[in-house]
Amino acid sequence: MNSTKMSTSLMFAGSADGNLLPPYVVYKAQNLHDTWCVGGPAGTRYNRSKNGWFDIDCFTDWFLSIALPYLRRLTGKKVLIGDNLSSHLSVEVISKCEKNDIQFVFLPPNSTHLSQPLDVSFFDLSSANGGKFKLENWKLGPGRKMSLIPKDSFPHLLSELVTAIEQNKAENLISGFRKTGIFPLEREKILSRLPSAENATGQSLDAEAVDDCIVTILKEMRYEAPAQKKKKRVDVPTGKSVTLALAIEQNSSLGDSDLAESLTTKIHRSELSNEKTIVDLTTPIVAGSLSSQVDKSSLKKDDWVVVNFSGNDARKKRLYVRRVLKVLKSGWIESIFFREAFRSDGTKFSYPTLEDKCQVNLDQVVASLDPPEELCRGILKFSVSIHSFV
């Protein structure tokens, strides 16, 4: 099994006169092994970090071991240009720069694709000059059964990459500094590469500044986003489901007439279009007005009742059909819940998937029902609709 899961960072640095400094490699590991350092380009240094990224310690070591020895050999004031990365800033590095007449300059955030010489005219050309080709050859050869590059293979591949770019490295580095306007110093160079909707000749964005696919995405994002649909939270007890009809009923009872009307139109057109009876779901159900018609003292096992489970808030009253299982003392009954059938007008109910028993206070009973007619597939049909108990 290939267990060399890895994340590897690679640091390249070059000068405006075309000199390329030795690479610096950071592996994702707690310890560094000798085979991870064999076969790389001359002068390459190898390090490791917990996540394989450049942290302050790695960058400081790169500065002291590669950048500073090179800069010390130069006379006069030197300028070191770096990405705007927090790990590039340390007290030790700044102190060494001051002592050796080095100005450490940070590029603006999110601008390296325009202002970093190696990004502009070196890394892409490095790939074109054989880096990608070398990696593909490895994937088709020794690495064809590997999902990742083993650490002991990385130095050899890095050496092949450096060899491939060696021929034009000076020309590419000088071109990068020139195109970014850093050397020779010419700020109009970078300003002319800033993206705009149209340039003076009516051409599309500079392909070197912004890729065509990015332009396409940005153009699509300029269109106005579709209006958000108005929505309201539906008050559903824990563990219970909700139907479209209940959603309409609740929003109507809460005074949201526009939303209730919209939802009612939808259910009338889709779910109830083939029914003979159309229920006005925008009328809130107010339970309890027929409670005086129920002889609660005569309730017995297997009687059918309509129960209000909504509490004291009249705006949130809900009616359910239940069958009495047992009459208890002190004004309570044990009953089983029945679910309203699909596309029902309030007369059809079915047995629940899971038996739902609970105790109900007689004060919650608002009406009694005659025994239902049993239809096919376990559907029970009552002679009246529970929506009529208002």
Side-chain angles (χ1 to χ4, degrees):
M1 184 179 72
N2 179 12
S3 59
T4 57
K5 196 169 185 178
M6 53 169 273
S7 173
T8 303
S9 297
L10 180 62
M11 172 81 85
F12 273 107
S15 64
D17 60 354
N19 286 314
L20 183 67
L21 277 60
Y24 190 98
V25 180
V26 178
Y27 293 115
K28 178 183 178 181
Q30 295 291 336
N31 302 294
L32 198 61
H33 298 275
D34 54 355
T35 58
W36 301 354
C37 310
V38 176
T44 302
R45 298 188 67 88
Y46 303 89
N47 205 339
R48 79 281 183 204
S49 67
K50 184 177 181 181
N51 51 23
W53 301 343
F54 266 81
D55 53 21
I56 290 181
D57 293 333
C58 289
F59 182 79
T60 301
D61 182 72
W62 169 85
F63 176 81
L64 296 176
S65 61
I66 292 182
L68 188 58
Y70 172 78
L71 293 172
R72 277 175 172 167
R73 295 197 297 267
L74 305 178
T75 58
K77 186 179 291 294
K78 283 81 65 175
V79 178
L80 178 64
I81 301 172
D83 296 343
N84 202 316
L85 190 66
S86 59
S87 63
H88 291 177
L89 185 62
S90 71
V91 174
E92 185 174 3
V93 170
I94 298 301
S95 176
K96 292 291 184 182
C97 286
E98 291 180 349
K99 291 180 180 178
N100 291 274
D101 198 15
I102 302 170
Q103 296 291 319
F104 196 177
V105 177
F106 289 96
L107 296 172
N110 307 313
S111 71
T112 56
H113 63 294
L114 297 173
S115 59
Q116 221 275 32
L118 273 70
D119 281 358
V120 170
S121 195
F122 185 78
F123 288 136
D124 187 56
L125 291 174
S126 297
S127 176
N129 284 339
K132 183 178 180 181
F133 178 74
K134 297 293 183 182
L135 183 59
E136 288 179 351
N137 283 346
W138 178 83
K139 288 180 179 179
L140 295 174
R144 63 185 180 277
K145 294 183 179 180
M146 300 180 184
S147 58
L148 298 167
I149 302 176
K151 294 181 177 68
D152 53 9
S153 297
F154 188 84
H156 298 279
L157 292 171
L158 178 59
S159 182
E160 292 181 4
L161 170 63
V162 172
T163 300
I165 65 178
E166 188 73 28
Q167 181 178 356
N168 299 318
K169 67 174 183 179
E171 179 183 345
N172 294 337
L173 284 169
I174 293 172
S175 175
F177 279 88
R178 183 173 60 250
K179 290 189 69 172
T180 55
I182 295 177
F183 187 83
L185 186 61
E186 188 177 353
R187 66 176 185 176
E188 293 300 328
K189 286 284 188 180
I190 190 171
L191 293 178
S192 65
R193 301 181 66 248
L194 292 175
S196 59
E198 296 288 334
N199 60 23
T201 61
Q203 299 294 325
S204 59
L205 288 170
D206 186 350
E208 295 175 344
V210 180
D211 191 78
D212 289 342
C213 64
I214 302 298
V215 176
T216 302
I217 294 173
L218 293 176
K219 286 182 177 179
E220 291 176 353
M221 293 175 62
R222 290 176 62 185
Y223 291 102
E224 184 177 356
Q228 294 290 329
K229 294 182 179 179
K230 185 177 180 182
K231 58 184 180 181
K232 289 278 188 177
R233 183 175 65 87
V234 179
D235 187 17
V236 185
T238 302
K240 301 296 182 182
S241 61
V242 65
T243 64
L244 178 60
L246 288 178
I248 296 172
E249 173 195 330
Q250 183 175 122
N251 283 290
S252 177
S253 63
L254 291 175
D256 196 345
S257 58
D258 292 339
L259 182 58
E261 181 180 356
S262 173
L263 292 173
T264 304
T265 301
K266 291 180 181 180
I267 193 172
H268 281 181
R269 291 178 178 175
S270 59
E271 296 184 1
L272 303 180
S273 58
N274 297 323
E275 294 291 329
K276 294 181 179 179
T277 304
I278 302 297
V279 182
D280 183 7
L281 296 177
T282 60
T283 303
I285 298 174
V286 182
S289 59
L290 292 185
S291 60
S292 59
Q293 300 178 13
V294 182
D295 186 2
K296 299 177 182 180
S297 62
S298 64
L299 289 178
K300 60 184 182 302
K301 181 182 177 182
D302 293 330
D303 281 349
W304 296 86
V305 294
V306 178
V307 179
N308 170 28
F309 271 100
S310 311
N312 297 324
D313 191 343
R315 298 176 304 171
K316 296 183 179 181
K317 288 184 178 179
R318 297 289 180 270
L319 300 181
Y320 298 93
V321 171
R322 304 190 73 91
R323 179 167 60 86
V324 178
L325 297 178
K326 185 187 298 184
V327 179
L328 306 174
K329 296 180 181 180
S330 304
W332 290 82
I333 60 171
E334 184 177 300
S335 62
I336 183 173
F337 164 80
F338 280 75
R339 186 181 305 278
E340 188 170 359
F342 176 65
R343 297 179 64 177
S344 170
D345 56 359
T347 63
K348 297 176 183 178
F349 292 80
S350 63
Y351 289 88
T353 304
L354 297 176
E355 194 175 67
D356 184 4
K357 293 181 182 180
C358 74
Q359 294 183 2
V360 178
N361 191 285
L362 289 176
D363 291 338
Q364 296 174 266
V365 177
V366 298
S368 62
L369 300 171
D370 294 332
E373 175 188 359
E374 189 163 349
L375 305 178
C376 61
R377 299 182 180 179
I379 300 296
L380 305 175
K381 182 176 181 180
F382 293 89
S383 58
V384 295
S385 170
I386 64 169
H387 300 302
S388 63
F389 296 105
V390 294

